[in-house]
């Protein structure tokens, strides 16, 4: 070949190579990043490249959204049924008779009010057949005419009808449809007539009674005329686990059940126009905080039933904690799957660079692909989470006796945000490195490897995910504990992994170690950061799984261990002085040798060392609640075996002596030698802490 010909050939080759290597730009290729994203998504989906990413995100969203759907529907139900759950628009609750000036103010404001009294007591059956008489602890409610102000009572004509209605379906929606088609259960807005009572099915079964029989309450014998199926304002306290008995308040005095310092709760419910009830609510709340008004609290529509909200909040915290751990597992899976995805696409991106696509074009196409994948996986997770939450609702059927409303849009938005955050915060950083893969990798496979993600990218993703977890927990302390604990665990595992790599590198010496071990050591030592990431991710995943198992078993075992083996399992209350000796003899004849036997009375703390005490005397919320309520006061000549003296000394029959529980003493900042004055049903008694 001549020199001229050779030069021309070289020049032509260079021009040809330049036509390939020279960036042509997006406009020259005719492919937009949007179109490129759809093509890549379709190819990766058919090849199964996105399967693990979709599963990880869907499971994380399902765990979080199932809890969100349940909490949202329960809160919606509380909001919808707030008036019915309260029994009125505003309710004044007190441990003594409702103050007269509060009742008078409600009447002056044109509000309609009704008073109910409730307390636990013993009921004794008296069957018409003359069979054995049974006794049972019941929750007795005495109501005035006009009750209930909100909602309706549901009653049945016989025990069999009530049992049939409850067994058919425990949900109120199904029950309401039955009410319209037959007379098994009926809705009424009235109370029992004087001399009559209505009792729940569980109470009738325990007492061996039915409609037409009589029940003994204190000194009165009342006839059972209907079976109580449901009350609109039934609470969720301990007393309400006992069978309910509804009676007319006109019969209450004749029973003789209310004695000085009896454990009675007065509820004064009012209804009226919105403006009037709001004014009364503001006035009543301010009135209840005055020092001279003690033992009074106000419940409103905004507060709902506090005890129900507390129960739901506690259950929600546990479910949210489990969901947080599931989200952490999903984050680990997404991070590992995304890195493997990026490693498999290195050659593809190098070829795209050769064909002239810019880094911006590649980055935008992969970002769009991950957004679409995240949206699909989140939608799948939402569907799965909704199905799981239906299982929760079915399990709670016996506790939540109401038709829950449909969920709001918030859990859907929240689930989509969770899925996209998981994928973009933990999956996108390694994938975005594909945009910087050099075109030279087409010829040299040893260049363009994935690098460790920059700290700024990881910090941004982790910060966003941490904020999301705290929002999920709905508890700042719980969220910070989970995020901080796992952040510390990641640092610990990463440090241990780095130390293990260094030890392995120094301990494996060429020539003395097996070839397979030397090869593995070289592979790990060549990419120590990647090894740290893999070890940390796997360790955090196993830690989350271990915590799930630990929570499952520890909650139950700790509850069991909190109860001593010889703890009392029977309690008898309201024993009058003239009944004491026969009752103790009955216990002795039954083989009970050491019963805990002591008097119990309610007393209010009114002064410490001569200084009047009110809730305003303390800044801590628990101390304010303790001072505002009545204490349980008892007496014993001998120190109980299960009580341990932590300060001072016990002296039998000590005059002017008083012992107080350690936790209460710390909360109220009481010490040995302090003099406490109590108001016991109008009688003042003062003693010194010894």
């Amino acid at each position: 070949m001549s020199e001229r010909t050779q030069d021309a050939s070289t020049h032509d080759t260079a021009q040809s190579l330049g036509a390939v290597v020279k960036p042509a730009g997006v406009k020259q290729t005719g492919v937009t990043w949007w179109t490129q994203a759809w093509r890549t998504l379709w190819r990766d989906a058919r090849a199964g490249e996105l399967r693990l990413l979709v599963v990880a995100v869907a499971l994380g969203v399902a765990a979080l959204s199932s809890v969100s759907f349940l909490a949202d529907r329960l809160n919606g139900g509380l909001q919808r049924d707030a008036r019915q759950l309260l029994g009125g628009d505003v309710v004044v609750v007190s441990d003594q008779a409702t103050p007269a000036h509060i009742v008078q103010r409600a009447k002056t404001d044109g509000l309609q009010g009704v008073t109910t009294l409730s307390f636990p007591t013993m009921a004794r059956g008296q069957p018409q057949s003359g069979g054995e008489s049974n006794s049972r602890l019941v929750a007795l409610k005495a109501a005035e005419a006009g009750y209930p102000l909100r909602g309706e009572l549901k009653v049945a004509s016989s025990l069999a009808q009530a049992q049939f209605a409850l067994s058919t379906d425990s949900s109120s929606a199904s029950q309401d449809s039955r009410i319209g088609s037959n007379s098994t259960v009926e809705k009424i807005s009235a109370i029992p007539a004087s001399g009559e009572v209505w009792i729940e099915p569980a109470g009738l079964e325990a007492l061996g009674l039915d409609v037409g029989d009589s029940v003994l309450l204190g000194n009165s014998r009342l006839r059972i005329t209907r079976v109580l199926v449901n009350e609109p304002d039934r609470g969720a306290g301990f007393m309400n686990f006992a069978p309910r008995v509804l009676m007319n308040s006109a019969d209450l005095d004749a029973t003789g059940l209310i004695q000085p310092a009896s454990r009675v709760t007065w509820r004064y419910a009012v209804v009226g126009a919105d403006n009037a009830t709001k004014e009364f609510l503001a006035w009543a709340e301010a009135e209840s905080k005055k020092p001279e008004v003690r033992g009074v609290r106000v419940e409103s529509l905004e507060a709902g039933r506090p005890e129900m909200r507390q129960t739901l909040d506690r259950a929600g915290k546990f479910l949210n904690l489990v969901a947080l751990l599931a989200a952490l597992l999903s984050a680990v899976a997404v991070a590992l799957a995304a890195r493997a995805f990026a490693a498999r696409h290195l050659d593809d991106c190098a070829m795209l660079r050769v064909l002239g696509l810019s880094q911006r074009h590649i980055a935008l196409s992969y970002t769009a692909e991950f957004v679409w994948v995240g949206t699909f996986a989140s939608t799948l997770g939402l569907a799965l989470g909704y199905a799981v939450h239906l299982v929760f609702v079915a399990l709670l059927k016996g506790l939540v006796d109401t038709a829950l409303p449909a969920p709001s849009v918030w859990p859907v938005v929240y689930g989509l945000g969770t899925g996209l955050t998981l994928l973009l915060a933990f999956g996108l950083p390694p994938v975005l490195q594909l945009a910087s893969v050099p075109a030279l990798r087409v010829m040299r496979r040893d260049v363009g490897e994935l690098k460790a993600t920059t700290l700024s990218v990881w910090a941004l993703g982790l910060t966003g995910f941490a904020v999301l977890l705290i929002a999920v927990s709905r508890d700042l302390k719980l969220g910070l504990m989970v995020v901080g604990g796992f952040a510390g665990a990641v640092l610990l595992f990463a440090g241990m992994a780095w130390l293990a790599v260094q030890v392995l590198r120094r301990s494996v010496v060429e020539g003395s170690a097996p070839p397979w071990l030397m090869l593995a050591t070289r592979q790990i030592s060549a990419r120590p950061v990647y090894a740290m990431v893999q070890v940390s991710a796997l360790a955090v995943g196993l830690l989350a799984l271990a915590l799930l198992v630990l929570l499952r078993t520890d909650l139950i075992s700790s509850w069991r261990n909190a109860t001593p083996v010889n703890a009392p399992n029977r309690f008898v209350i309201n024993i009058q002085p003239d009944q004491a000796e026969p009752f103790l003899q009955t216990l002795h004849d039954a083989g009970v040798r050491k019963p805990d036997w002591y008097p119990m009375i309610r007393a209010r703390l009114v002064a410490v060392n001569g200084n009047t005490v009110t809730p305003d005397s303390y800044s801590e919320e628990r101390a304010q609640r303790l001072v505002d309520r009545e204490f349980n006061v008892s007496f014993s000549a001998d120190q109980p075996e299960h009580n341990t003296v932590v300060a001072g000394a016990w002296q039998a029959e000590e005059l002017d002596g008083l012992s107080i529980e350690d936790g209460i003493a710390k909360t109220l900042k009481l010490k040995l030698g302090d003099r406490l004055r109590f108001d016991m049903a109008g009688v003042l008694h003062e003693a010194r802490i010894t």
Side-chain angles (χ1 to χ4, degrees):
M1 180 183 294
S2 65
E3 181 177 350
R4 182 177 179 180
T5 305
Q6 183 178 3
D7 291 340
S9 176
T10 303
H11 179 71
D12 293 341
T13 304
Q15 286 183 338
S16 177
L17 182 61
V20 175
V21 177
K22 180 181 178 180
V26 175
K27 294 182 179 180
Q28 295 183 22
T29 61
V31 179
T32 64
W33 63 267
W34 185 268
T35 305
Q36 180 68 26
W38 274 113
R39 290 178 178 178
T40 307
L41 175 62
W42 178 245
R43 181 196 63 191
D44 293 338
R46 287 187 301 168
E49 299 278 355
L50 304 172
R51 189 178 303 141
L52 184 56
L53 284 171
V54 171
V55 171
V57 173
L59 290 179
V61 172
L64 293 172
S65 63
S66 61
V67 178
S68 296
F69 277 121
L70 179 63
D72 184 76
R73 293 187 66 187
L74 288 174
N75 289 329
L78 286 176
Q79 293 292 337
R80 181 199 61 191
D81 300 334
R83 286 183 171 87
Q84 181 171 316
L85 291 170
L86 280 175
D89 298 339
V90 179
V91 179
V92 179
V93 185
S94 58
D95 50 25
Q96 299 291 334
T98 306
H101 69 285
I102 293 181
V103 176
Q104 184 59 42
R105 174 59 184 261
K107 293 180 179 179
T108 303
D109 291 346
L111 302 177
Q112 181 183 357
V114 166
T115 298
T116 59
L117 292 78
S118 56
F119 55 94
T121 189
M122 296 301 295
R124 188 153 50 93
Q126 197 173 48
Q128 290 180 340
S129 59
E132 183 180 355
S133 176
N134 298 325
S135 60
R136 180 72 161 83
L137 177 68
V138 298
L140 178 64
K141 175 185 285 186
E144 295 179 338
Y147 171 86
L149 293 175
R150 297 292 187 188
E152 294 174 302
L153 292 165
K154 296 177 183 178
V155 296
S157 301
S158 67
L159 176 59
Q161 290 181 351
Q163 291 173 333
F164 172 77
L166 293 174
S167 63
T168 303
D169 192 344
S170 63
S171 67
S172 293
S174 298
Q175 195 178 83
D176 290 344
S177 64
R178 290 196 310 275
I179 293 172
S181 60
N182 56 64
S183 59
T184 300
V185 174
E186 61 176 317
K187 290 182 178 180
I188 59 174
S189 297
I191 61 173
S194 179
E196 299 177 357
V197 291
W198 300 343
I199 304 179
E200 283 188 326
L204 293 177
E205 291 177 350
L207 295 171
L209 303 176
D210 203 341
V211 173
D213 293 335
S214 297
V215 62
L216 297 177
L217 293 171
N219 300 326
S220 298
R221 183 175 66 182
L222 304 171
R223 190 167 63 91
I224 304 169
T225 55
R226 287 181 177 175
V227 183
L228 184 61
V229 177
N230 187 47
E231 299 171 79
D233 60 341
R234 174 169 184 156
F238 169 76
M239 183 188 72
N240 297 309
F241 286 103
R244 308 281 289 182
V245 176
L246 181 63
M247 67 180 298
N248 194 311
S249 59
D251 298 327
L252 185 58
D253 291 340
T255 64
L257 292 174
I258 298 184
Q259 300 293 330
S262 294
R263 303 181 63 85
V264 182
T265 299
W266 276 259
R267 292 177 59 86
Y268 179 65
V270 299
V271 297
D274 290 342
N275 293 335
T277 54
K278 289 180 180 178
E279 292 178 2
F280 177 77
L281 171 63
W283 177 85
E285 288 180 338
E287 194 71 13
S288 65
K289 296 177 182 178
K290 291 183 178 180
E292 62 271 18
V293 179
R294 304 293 297 274
V296 174
R297 73 175 188 271
V298 181
E299 295 180 357
S300 63
L301 300 180
E302 291 76 14
R305 296 291 305 199
E307 67 275 11
M308 293 185 68
R309 287 192 178 275
Q310 290 175 1
T311 302
L312 293 176
D313 288 344
R314 290 168 183 168
K317 284 183 179 181
F318 172 74
L319 293 176
N320 277 326
L321 180 57
V322 175
L324 287 176
L325 298 180
L328 286 169
L329 283 174
S330 299
V332 172
V334 168
L336 293 178
R339 188 168 184 87
F341 175 88
R344 291 192 297 268
H345 285 70
L346 286 172
D347 295 336
D348 299 342
C349 290
M351 183 60 67
L352 291 176
R353 293 296 307 279
V354 169
L355 294 176
L357 296 186
S358 64
Q359 292 187 11
R360 178 176 177 275
H361 184 101
I362 297 175
L364 287 176
S365 65
Y366 275 111
T367 301
E369 179 183 1
F370 266 51
V371 169
W372 293 330
V373 171
T375 303
F376 171 75
S378 300
T379 304
L380 183 63
L382 284 171
L384 182 59
Y386 187 83
V388 172
H389 113 276
L390 293 178
V391 177
F392 291 159
V393 173
L395 293 175
L396 293 174
K397 183 179 293 184
L399 298 176
V400 182
D401 186 22
T402 184
L404 296 177
S408 66
V409 71
W410 163 245
V412 177
V413 175
Y414 178 63
L416 290 174
T418 301
L420 292 175
T421 302
L422 275 173
L423 200 58
L424 298 182
F426 291 91
L428 196 57
V431 175
L432 288 180
Q433 295 184 38
L434 294 174
S436 60
V437 174
L440 187 60
R441 182 178 172 83
V442 174
M443 293 180 292
R444 292 186 55 185
R445 307 298 297 276
D446 58 338
V447 299
E449 292 290 343
L450 289 176
K451 300 178 181 179
T453 308
T454 60
L455 293 178
S456 59
V457 175
W458 275 113
L460 182 62
L462 290 174
T463 301
F465 191 64
V467 173
L468 179 66
L469 292 182
I470 294 175
V472 170
S473 66
R474 299 184 182 181
D475 186 315
L476 181 61
K477 183 178 180 181
L478 175 63
L480 290 176
M481 288 174 61
V482 173
V483 172
F486 275 92
V490 169
L491 294 177
L492 175 63
F493 294 142
M496 295 175 63
W498 179 84
L499 182 62
V501 170
Q502 299 303 318
V503 171
L504 187 62
R505 178 185 296 174
R506 287 177 171 80
S507 60
V508 177
V509 182
E510 293 190 15
S512 60
W516 60 268
L517 182 57
M518 292 173 54
L519 180 60
T521 302
R522 289 177 182 175
Q523 291 288 335
I524 295 176
S525 301
R527 296 185 295 176
V529 176
Y530 186 48
M532 292 169 56
V533 171
Q534 286 185 313
V535 171
S536 301
L538 181 61
V540 169
L542 293 176
L543 176 62
L545 289 175
L547 281 177
L548 287 176
V549 177
L550 179 64
L551 282 173
R552 176 185 175 275
T553 56
D554 184 62
L555 286 175
I556 298 176
S557 61
S558 61
W559 172 72
R560 289 175 175 171
N561 294 334
T563 305
V565 177
N566 59 344
N569 57 359
R570 294 290 186 274
F571 300 88
V572 185
I573 61 175
N574 285 353
I575 301 174
Q576 301 303 314
D578 59 333
Q579 301 171 334
E581 289 300 328
F583 177 76
L584 290 175
Q585 184 61 44
T586 302
L587 291 182
H588 185 273
D589 295 342
V592 180
R593 295 293 179 261
K594 292 184 178 181
D596 286 338
W597 177 257
Y598 46 83
M600 183 69 71
I601 195 171
R602 300 179 77 174
R604 187 182 301 282
L605 180 64
V606 295
V608 176
N609 296 327
N611 300 318
T612 301
V613 171
T614 66
D616 294 335
S617 305
Y618 298 89
S619 58
E620 185 182 349
E621 182 181 359
R622 183 171 184 269
Q624 293 176 346
R625 292 200 307 268
L626 284 174
V627 173
D628 194 42
R629 70 169 177 82
E630 291 185 326
F631 287 86
N632 295 319
V633 181
S634 181
F635 170 82
S636 177
D638 301 319
Q639 178 182 345
E641 295 181 359
H642 51 78
N643 283 1
T644 303
V645 176
V646 297
W650 180 282
Q651 296 183 23
E653 303 289 354
E654 180 182 14
L655 296 177
D656 197 36
L658 175 72
S659 65
I660 192 167
E661 194 267 333
D662 180 55
I664 295 178
K666 291 178 180 178
T667 302
L668 299 181
K669 298 180 175 56
L670 302 175
K671 60 185 183 301
L672 290 173
D674 285 347
R675 297 193 66 85
L676 308 184
R677 185 184 306 153
F678 291 93
D679 181 351
M680 303 179 180
V683 179
L684 297 180
H685 178 76
E686 187 170 317
R688 182 172 57 90
I689 301 177
T690 58

